[in-house]
Amino acid sequence: MKELEARIKEDARVLGADILKVDSFLNHQIDPKLMQAMGAEFARLFKDQGITKVITVEASGIAPAVMAGLNLDVPVVFARKSKSRILSDDAYTADVYSYTKQSTNQIRIDKRFLSADDNVLLIDDFLANGQALLGMKALADDAGATIVGAGIVIEKSFQPGRQAAIEAGLTNIHSLAKIDAFEDGQVVFDEAD
C-alpha cells in the first residue's frame, strides 16, 4: 500500500537493528484517514472470505481492525492484555510475549464474543516475531472458529514471524507494507509483495 509506505518513509523512525517506531500515525497518535484507507484495503483483500468477526489485540491493532470491520460490516473483538474486575472469567486465554516490551501478557477474549460459528479475520499492527498473531490464532482455535486470514499493517520480513505463522497453519496473510531491511537508519521495502 503506497500511501502507508510513504507515511513510513516520512514519519517512522528506525531504532537499532530491528525496531520501527510509528507512534506519530499508528500506535500513539493515530491518523484516522490512513486507518480508513487501511481498513478499506483489508476489506478489499478479504471481502470474499465470509468473515463474521475481526479479531485484534489491544491497543495498536484496534484502529486498523475497527476500520476493517466497518468496511466489512462485521463486529470487531479485541483481545485484552489485562484482566479487570468487570471481565468475565469465562474467557479464552493465550500467553503472548512482546519483544519490544520484553514481557509476557495473557490475552483474553470473553467466550460470549467468539464461537465455532465465526469466520474470523485476524488484524495486527506488526508482524515481526509472530507472537501476537499466534496468540490470536490460539484464541480462535480454542473457540473452534475458522480463521480465514490475517491482515498485517507492517511486516518486518527479515524477522521470523511469517514463517512461524505459516508453520502454525496461517497461510492467507496479507501485509500492507513489507519491510525487507533497515539500512543506515532507513527502511528498505520488499517490492515483491
Side-chain angles (χ1 to χ4, degrees), residues 12-72:
R13 293 182 295 151
V14 175
L15 303 177
D18 56 3
I19 295 176
L20 184 67
K21 193 164 180 151
V22 292
D23 61 347
S24 66
F25 61 90
L26 178 61
N27 60 16
H28 193 55
Q29 174 173 273
I30 296 172
D31 179 336
K33 288 184 180 179
L34 182 59
M35 296 305 117
Q36 186 176 39
M38 290 191 299
E41 182 63 7
F42 284 135
R44 184 190 71 76
L45 290 166
F46 294 102
K47 67 180 179 213
D48 297 325
Q49 302 294 312
I51 295 165
T52 61
K53 291 206 175 127
V54 173
I55 297 177
T56 193
V57 176
E58 71 175 343
S60 299
I62 293 175
V66 165
M67 291 300 166
L70 180 65
N71 280 276
L72 291 164

